[in-house]
Amino acid sequence: MVKIIKKEVLTPQIKLMVIDAPRVARHAKAGQFVIVRINEEGERIPLTIADFDSEKGTVSIIFQEVGKSTIQLGELNEGDHITDFVGPLGKEIEEKNFGHVVCVGGGVGIAPIYPKAKVLKKLGNRITSIIGARSSDLLFWEDRMQSVSDALYVTTDDGSYGEKGFVTSVLDRVIQKEKIDLVIAVGPLMMMKMVSLLTKKYELPTLVSLNPIMVDGTGMCGCCRVTVGKECKFTCVDGPVFDGHSVDYDELLARQRNYLEEEKRAVENWLMKKAEEGVHHAK
Amino acid sequence: MPNNRLNGRPKMPQRTVQERIRDFDEVPLGLEKWAAIEEAKRCLQCKKPSCMKGCPVEIDIPGFIGLLAQGKIDEAVMKIKEKNSLPAICGRVCPQEEQCESLCVLGKKGQPIAVGYLERFLADYEREQGIDLQKMPTQNGKKVAIIGSGPAGLTCAGDCAKMGHKVTIFEALHSAGGVLIYGIPEFRLPKAIVAQEVDYVKSLGVELELSVVVGKTLTFDDLLQDGFKAFFIGTGAGLPHFMNLPGENLNGIYSANEFLTRSNLMKAFRFPEYDTPTKVGRRVSVIGGGNVAMDSARTALRLGAEEVCLVYRRTKKEMPARIEEIERAEEEGINCIILTNPVRFVGNENKWVTGIECIQMELGEPDESGRRRPIPVPGSEFVIPADTVVVAIGQGPNPLLLETLPELKLNKRGYIEANEVTGATSIPGVYAGGDIVTGAATVISAMGAGKKAARAIDDYLKNKS
Ligand SMILES: Cc1cc2nc3c(=O)[nH]c(=O)nc-3n(C[C@H](O)[C@H](O)[C@H](O)COP(=O)(O)OP(=O)(O)OC[C@H]3O[C@@H](n4cnc5c(N)ncnc54)[C@H](O)[C@@H]3O)c2cc1C
Ligand SMILES: Cc1cc2nc3c(=O)[nH]c(=O)nc-3n(C[C@H](O)[C@H](O)[C@H](O)COP(=O)(O)OP(=O)(O)OC[C@H]3O[C@@H](n4cnc5c(N)ncnc54)[C@H](O)[C@@H]3O)c2cc1C
Ligand code: SF4
Ligand code: SF4
Ligand code: FES
Ligand SMILES: [Mg+2]
């Protein structure tokens, strides 16, 4: 059982929660994640550690409401409890001075890119950040990203804020004019694929953080397996950060769709149940 | 008197196939009291009981059976619990036919005593009647950390507590029991029983901390700083092996661990009441021939598959699963395709599996294990259509914790090197046992290892002060 000590609505669909989890906070590193199970009936869902404070013993998570579990999580409030909060899981990113690092965050991927930019900045890297979303109402933490970046670019697909277009077009421009030592991209799989295709052309080392479906998060089930190079890797223990140029994105895109029907049913079922409860209360 | 009273072993009453294959309730129903007592009376009360040599946790078999024969049920249960904290589990999943029962003298000419059935009867009777056995030992304050709550960890914890130590179990998952809770299905080992046996261990004063991954959430150093003086590693063999064949990451292909975890631990069979989904197609193929394969096949059937087959590269005789379980699987309509080995997985344009391309095998010369080695028959490839595949070909050691302890000596296969008698590892004060030492084995051998280690830990702590 862990307690939600702060909740912030970043955008209508994206929420931040600060969790009281001293053990997780103590060992947390940039790149790692937690597994959350809301209640006894809940599924185990991975969420990136978006920020942490080892002294206060807190861990921040940011999630986009996309289905049953994230919608239900979003309904919880300060003071409420979450049944399980396991972590920190996965491997941290290599912490060293690479030189010039470009951090690309797409959509809710801004959350996981932030701690990476933060720690790398602290280690003396020059940080250029490019954050983007479909539209302005999915953008958040521009200020925080600004605080850990030497340069920051913001894009929206529909032009509702910042530059109209994709993060990849900005990245292409930065590549043209500056020397880059490392690119880190986190966001929707399609975005990470596009970034990797682009940086491959220039042979720029690229790291991506993968988001396959998981169950245990400890290397026990193999649900999170991905092909990297010619090898089968378990994202939860071998990753989630991998060399972007070696990932088989198409395989992973298919695997993420494994349960689409069931996920749809789960949401419908949940919304119906809530509607019924609502009617009940109204009476 | 009902006619299943025999002059030999009683038959285990079980639910009919039609009744059982559409739900997850337990299949064998357990002996009735009169049948258990009759069976107990058949025991010769040998002076030198050979049966006991087959029990890794050293249960006084004639002792408890003798008490049962006299109708002293409470005392019989106590007798078992002196040595075994988890009798309701052992009575169900021990391969008794290869252990205690295989050595019973009565087995030489006729049928051995049904030791496992009697153990199960007593444990169930205790649970149902609520016999109060609790005797809280005094604790001397030496802190022992147990990593992993499988049968090895639970046994070691229970025994250390009985010896008066302050024990904490750390478990990575959100539920205690290891394979008993995430692997073995409800219809073979009801989770309520596992929970009750865990409660019994807790009643001995053992603390249980769930959702703690040692090596990640807490490190060994953290535990040392917290004052833990001795450690037992019982983290199991939880790393699923895949076949490394083309197409293995197609949708619809599960490791047995994932398939069983979704159903057992996460209760996907009750989706959407429980949130975790699982997917079972019309035709399911399970690759393997062990207990894990049987459990996967029978789970698939209960999740609604129309046809389930087992694909095994040797013959039925070589299948490592318990005979009882193979029989139950076949009764339920599961088809064994033997002498067949997968060579690749076939999929459609959406990357969903549609079948397994296999090759026929024939048996050659015996290999190191004494089993005849299967060899492929050239040109015999054929496709088994399947929309769900479960790979149940075995497990390895999970490296997650081991990677954080570089000074811990491992063997060539990556398991922990531990003394056979004491469980001592290359690090003083750190003991290990169960599947993480032996590789995938049995519940009872894991418990035996936990028991031995508890004794060694007690000695170690006594000498240390
Ligand atoms: C290492 C890692 C870190 C992540 N970090 C974040 C984060 O910081 N913020 C965030 O909003 N999201 C993050 N995700 C994705 C997040 O886990 C999913 O959005 C969430 O599980 C969806 O659950 P749902 O029930 O709300 O939606 P559903 O409708 O059930 O699922 C929506 C989609 O999410 C994916 N998904 C479903 N179940 C799982 C699961 N058990 N594990 C992983 N993915 C699943 C599937 O592709 C699915 O189609 C991360 C995923 C991984 C693997
Ligand atoms: C499907 C299936 C069916 C089986 N059927 C039978 C049967 O009928 N009869 C029989 O005798 N045997 C059977 N077995 C084998 C038997 O279950 C195992 O041999 C036994 O459970 C091993 O016990 P263990 O305590 O060593 O490990 P496990 O039961 O594997 O328990 C290990 C525990 O440690 C936890 N853990 C791992 N790493 C960490 C960490 N870093 N920190 C904290 N916790 C950690 C795991 O989450 C797990 O809960 C079966 C196995 C399977 C998979
Ligand atoms: S624990 Fe297993 S081996 Fe020991 S007596 Fe019971 S059934 Fe036999
Ligand atoms: S060997 Fe058989 S008959 Fe003899 S004590 Fe053991 S169970 Fe009884
Ligand atoms: S989520 Fe189970 S192995 Fe990675
Ligand atoms: Mg979901």
Side-chain angles (χ1 to χ4, degrees):
Chain A
M1 276 286 194
V2 297
K3 192 169 164 185
I4 302 165
I5 50 181
K6 198 172 150 215
K7 176 181 177 184
E8 213 179 296
V9 179
L10 299 177
T11 84
Q13 279 171 56
I14 299 180
K15 291 174 182 158
L16 171 145
M17 282 178 181
V18 182
I19 310 292
D20 179 33
R23 281 179 175 172
V24 182
R26 177 146 55 137
H27 293 296
K29 289 260 169 64
Q32 292 186 295
F33 64 94
V34 290
I35 292 255
V36 174
R37 195 176 66 119
I38 301 173
N39 57 18
E40 276 312 314
E41 293 78 35
E43 60 182 338
R44 296 171 66 99
I45 61 163
L47 295 171
T48 308
I49 296 175
D51 204 358
F52 57 91
D53 186 329
S54 333
E55 261 150 45
K56 289 199 191 123
T58 58
V59 173
S60 302
I61 50 173
I62 292 182
F63 55 92
Q64 180 168 7
E65 294 177 0
V66 291
K68 157 85 194 330
S69 299
T70 45
I71 294 173
Q72 191 183 6
L73 186 60
E75 286 169 0
L76 298 180
N77 288 307
E78 287 173 11
D80 288 345
H81 287 83
I82 296 173
T83 300
D84 291 291
F85 193 82
V86 200
L89 300 170
K91 294 204 157 63
E92 65 267 25
I93 55 157
E94 195 188 349
E95 294 183 3
K96 73 168 200 193
N97 193 336
F98 295 93
H100 181 199
V101 181
V102 177
C103 294
V104 188
V108 75
I110 298 168
I113 204 75
Y114 168 74
K116 300 182 181 68
K118 181 174 162 184
V119 66
L120 292 177
K121 173 80 184 157
K122 218 182 262 167
L123 289 165
N125 288 282
R126 184 153 81 85
I127 306 288
T128 299
S129 296
I130 309 169
I131 59 173
R134 269 200 319 270
S135 73
S136 62
D137 58 359
L138 290 169
L139 265 180
F140 59 94
W141 271 15
E142 187 186 345
D143 51 340
R144 285 222 196 184
M145 286 306 294
Q146 187 79 64
S147 71
V148 296
S149 309
D150 296 276
L152 175 71
Y153 300 86
V154 184
T155 69
T156 49
D157 300 1
D158 63 2
S160 51
Y161 187 82
E163 185 178 327
K164 182 173 158 64
F166 298 117
V167 285
T168 36
S169 17
V170 179
L171 177 61
D172 204 355
R173 264 193 351 248
V174 177
I175 294 173
Q176 302 302 331
K177 55 177 205 245
E178 292 177 51
K179 179 179 172 298
I180 297 170
D181 299 293
L182 178 67
V183 176
I184 307 177
V186 191
L189 204 50
M190 199 40 104
M191 174 215 115
M192 295 192 278
K193 178 179 172 179
M194 299 319 281
V195 166
S196 299
L197 283 174
L198 174 67
T199 58
K200 176 97 183 137
K201 274 200 305 203
Y202 300 96
E203 287 182 31
L204 282 178
T206 300
L207 296 174
V208 294
S209 185
L210 300 183
N211 51 0
I213 297 176
M214 292 188 175
V215 185
D216 62 304
T218 66
M220 182 270 277
C221 76
C223 173
C224 62
R225 62 195 194 273
V226 292
T227 304
V228 181
K230 290 268 167 299
E231 274 179 89
C232 174
K233 297 279 188 191
F234 288 5
T235 305
C236 67
V237 283
D238 300 322
V241 177
F242 291 103
D243 166 27
H245 297 155
S246 311
V247 172
D248 184 339
Y249 292 98
D250 294 341
E251 176 188 282
L252 188 49
L253 279 163
R255 288 185 67 78
Q256 283 186 333
R257 289 195 288 265
N258 205 317
Y259 295 104
L260 286 185
E261 291 159 40
E262 289 77 9
E263 285 155 0
K264 201 164 148 248
R265 238 181 97 200
V267 174
E268 285 166 2
N269 194 66
W270 172 246
L271 295 178
M272 217 160 71
K273 206 168 125 192
K274 277 197 353 196
E276 273 166 22
E277 274 169 17
V279 170
H280 210 69
H281 282 303
K283 277 183 196 162
Chain B
M1 192 169 273
N3 59 7
N4 70 339
R5 166 78 190 102
L6 323 150
N7 270 327
R9 229 172 123 92
K11 263 213 156 64
M12 176 62 92
Q14 57 178 35
R15 297 168 69 217
T16 63
V17 171
Q18 289 73 13
E19 208 190 330
R20 76 201 197 208
I21 57 169
R22 294 295 172 214
D23 68 32
F24 278 80
D25 293 345
E26 201 175 5
V27 173
L29 296 165
L31 296 185
E32 285 187 57
K33 186 171 166 187
W34 63 266
I37 293 179
E38 287 303 312
E39 175 65 355
K41 286 184 182 154
R42 217 161 58 82
C43 169
L44 303 176
Q45 294 290 308
C46 306
K47 283 269 139 27
K48 284 189 190 152
S50 46
C51 52
M52 280 179 68
K53 292 200 195 90
C55 177
V57 292
E58 306 155 14
I59 292 181
D60 178 356
I61 296 172
F64 91 76
I65 295 182
L67 289 164
L68 173 58
Q70 298 167 48
K72 295 181 182 163
I73 293 184
D74 301 18
E75 287 170 54
V77 178
M78 294 276 252
K79 187 52 92 194
I80 296 178
K81 288 218 163 176
E82 279 171 14
K83 297 289 184 183
N84 182 352
S85 313
L86 318 171
I89 293 168
C90 294
R92 287 177 165 79
V93 301
C94 249
Q96 295 111 11
E97 63 283 1
E98 291 164 24
Q99 309 239 224
C100 48
E101 294 177 11
S102 75
L103 297 173
C104 169
V105 286
L106 286 174
K108 283 187 190 141
K109 288 221 180 75
Q111 291 181 306
I113 295 289
V115 181
Y117 292 176
L118 297 184
E119 189 174 343
R120 169 181 165 157
F121 164 77
L122 286 166
D124 287 356
Y125 196 86
E126 179 211 338
R127 222 181 38 253
E128 281 150 24
Q129 310 295 316
I131 300 173
D132 193 13
L133 300 169
Q134 242 149 281
K135 264 193 295 165
M136 278 278 280
T138 45
Q139 298 194 342
N140 68 2
K142 291 256 175 66
K143 285 173 79 174
V144 180
I146 310 277
I147 305 166
S149 66
L154 287 173
T155 305
C156 189
D159 279 24
C160 283
K162 283 184 193 160
M163 295 173 196
H165 300 292
K166 262 178 89 108
V167 184
T168 308
I169 304 180
F170 298 96
E171 167 55 50
L173 296 173
H174 57 259
S175 228
V179 169
L180 307 177
I181 204 92
Y182 79 71
I184 304 181
E186 182 77 20
F187 55 82
R188 213 147 70 70
L189 181 61
K191 299 311 150 215
I193 289 177
V194 180
Q196 241 149 351
E197 303 266 44
V198 171
D199 282 344
Y200 170 70
V201 173
K202 287 207 291 198
S203 78
L204 298 168
V206 172
E207 294 225 13
L208 180 59
E209 290 214 35
L210 300 172
S211 291
V212 174
V213 186
V214 179
K216 292 281 183 189
T217 314
L218 291 174
T219 62
F220 247 77
D221 283 343
D222 293 336
L223 295 174
L224 280 169
Q225 272 175 21
D226 275 356
F228 287 97
K229 300 281 184 253
F231 302 82
F232 177 77
I233 305 179
T235 49
L239 178 79
H241 283 322
F242 285 94
M243 307 194 77
N244 296 319
L245 295 177
E248 202 160 16
N249 291 355
L250 288 165
N251 277 348
I253 304 182
Y254 293 89
S255 76
N257 274 6
E258 181 187 350
F259 189 68
L260 292 169
T261 297
R262 283 182 179 274
S263 184
N264 298 321
L265 178 70
M266 305 310 298
K267 306 227 184 313
F269 67 89
R270 287 166 69 182
F271 178 87
E273 185 194 339
Y274 281 75
D275 290 340
T276 307
T278 189
K279 230 180 173 111
V280 164
R282 230 159 45 76
R283 274 190 292 228
V284 180
S285 285
V286 178
I287 303 167
N291 283 320
V292 184
M294 299 303 147
D295 285 347
S296 304
R298 296 175 69 198
T299 297
L301 196 70
R302 284 160 175 78
L303 287 170
E306 285 166 26
E307 266 173 57
V308 183
C309 68
L310 285 155
V311 180
Y312 185 58
R313 64 198 178 118
R314 305 184 202 237
T315 69
K316 227 181 271 173
K317 216 171 69 205
E318 284 87 15
M319 282 190 174
R322 292 183 63 190
I323 300 154
E324 213 177 67
E325 298 305 327
I326 302 177
E327 281 170 2
R328 291 212 176 101
E330 289 197 311
E331 270 170 31
E332 290 172 9
I334 288 157
N335 179 16
C336 296
I337 305 180
I338 53 162
L339 289 171
T340 299
N341 207 22
V343 290
R344 74 184 176 96
F345 298 95
V346 194
N348 63 18
E349 62 290 351
N350 296 323
K351 295 190 190 266
W352 275 88
V353 70
T354 56
I356 315 174
E357 187 179 312
C358 295
I359 189 161
Q360 219 101 59
M361 310 294 276
E362 58 189 13
L363 290 184
E365 296 299 305
D367 62 12
E368 318 83 61
S369 69
R371 298 185 299 181
R372 289 174 65 195
R373 188 194 302 276
I375 38 182
V377 179
S380 65
E381 289 86 349
F382 67 105
V383 172
I384 301 175
D387 27 34
T388 304
V389 173
V390 182
V391 181
I393 57 161
Q395 293 101 248
N398 188 329
L400 192 144
L401 169 69
L402 309 179
E403 278 171 1
T404 69
L405 285 172
E407 63 280 29
L408 186 68
K409 223 164 136 189
L410 307 181
N411 66 20
K412 274 195 253 58
R413 291 159 62 221
Y415 294 99
I416 298 176
E417 240 180 61
N419 183 300
E420 263 182 52
V421 183
T422 63
T425 68
S426 58
I427 308 177
V430 177
Y431 297 77
D435 284 3
I436 190 61
V437 170
T438 55
T442 59
V443 171
I444 196 65
S445 59
M447 289 178 57
K451 190 163 211 60
K452 286 181 190 162
R455 218 172 279 154
I457 287 173
D458 188 46
D459 286 344
Y460 171 81
L461 291 174
K462 272 189 196 130
N463 294 335
K464 224 185 155 210
S465 53

